[in-house]
Amino acid sequence: MNDCIFCKIANGEIPSKFYYEDEKTIIIRDIAPQAKLHYLVIPKEHYTDITELADKNPDLLQHLFTVIAEKKEELGLTNGFRVITNIGEDGCQSVKHIHVHLLGGEKLSEKMG
Ligand code: DGP
């Protein structure tokens, strides 16, 4: 995916601070944070959204959530947080490379949509 910004971040073409990295995953801070702490959990391999990932590589989907569970405290998400993944047009997905938003570090709005 030559044109994909998250592929470029994951492969180092666009420099970005990684808050976590393993062979399959990176975690970065969102460039336009919508909470005191706003991370993006991104698989290095390109899939468009979570439905494609679930269909084509369920082990990688599980890995993303294992990383979230293992790293949440190191990321400062100690008192709960919100997990969001946007899909497609109605979901307002702007980057077409699956990423999981982690929002926390403060009490969030009860509204989600
Ligand atoms: P979504 O709307 O779910 O596709 O969210 C995409 C998010 O990605 C959005 O909150 C802004 C963030 N984002 C876009 N480009 C960059 C970037 O170059 N660096 C970082 N850190 N975040 C980005």
Side-chain angles (χ1 to χ4, degrees):
M1 274 284 157
N2 292 340
D3 235 15
C4 172
I5 190 139
F6 287 173
C7 284
K8 288 180 178 172
I9 288 174
N11 70 23
E13 226 178 296
I14 296 176
S16 188
K17 179 172 166 58
F18 293 169
Y19 288 79
Y20 172 80
E21 180 180 17
D22 64 28
E23 72 283 1
K24 299 175 193 163
T25 319
I26 58 167
I27 300 180
I28 62 173
R29 293 284 277 266
D30 196 291
I31 203 169
Q34 294 193 35
K36 196 168 167 194
L37 295 175
H38 185 170
Y39 297 99
L40 302 173
V41 184
I42 306 172
K44 291 181 175 178
E45 203 173 328
H46 186 96
Y47 295 92
T48 303
D49 62 39
I50 197 170
T51 64
E52 189 190 33
L53 180 60
D55 189 35
K56 295 190 176 158
N57 196 341
D59 289 348
L60 182 55
L61 175 58
Q62 180 174 0
H63 179 73
L64 294 188
F65 282 84
T66 300
V67 167
I68 292 168
E70 287 178 357
K71 297 297 163 188
K72 61 186 181 183
E73 304 216 327
E74 274 175 48
L75 295 169
L77 301 166
T78 51
N79 197 36
F81 57 101
R82 184 166 290 155
V83 177
I84 294 172
T85 188
N86 294 325
I87 303 169
E89 201 60 29
D90 284 359
C92 294
Q93 182 183 6
S94 60
V95 179
K96 308 293 192 267
H97 177 134
I98 160 71
H99 51 283
V100 177
H101 296 261
L102 304 180
L103 297 149
E106 63 182 328
K107 181 83 174 170
L108 302 172
S109 161
E110 287 182 9
K111 289 194 173 182
M112 284 190 286

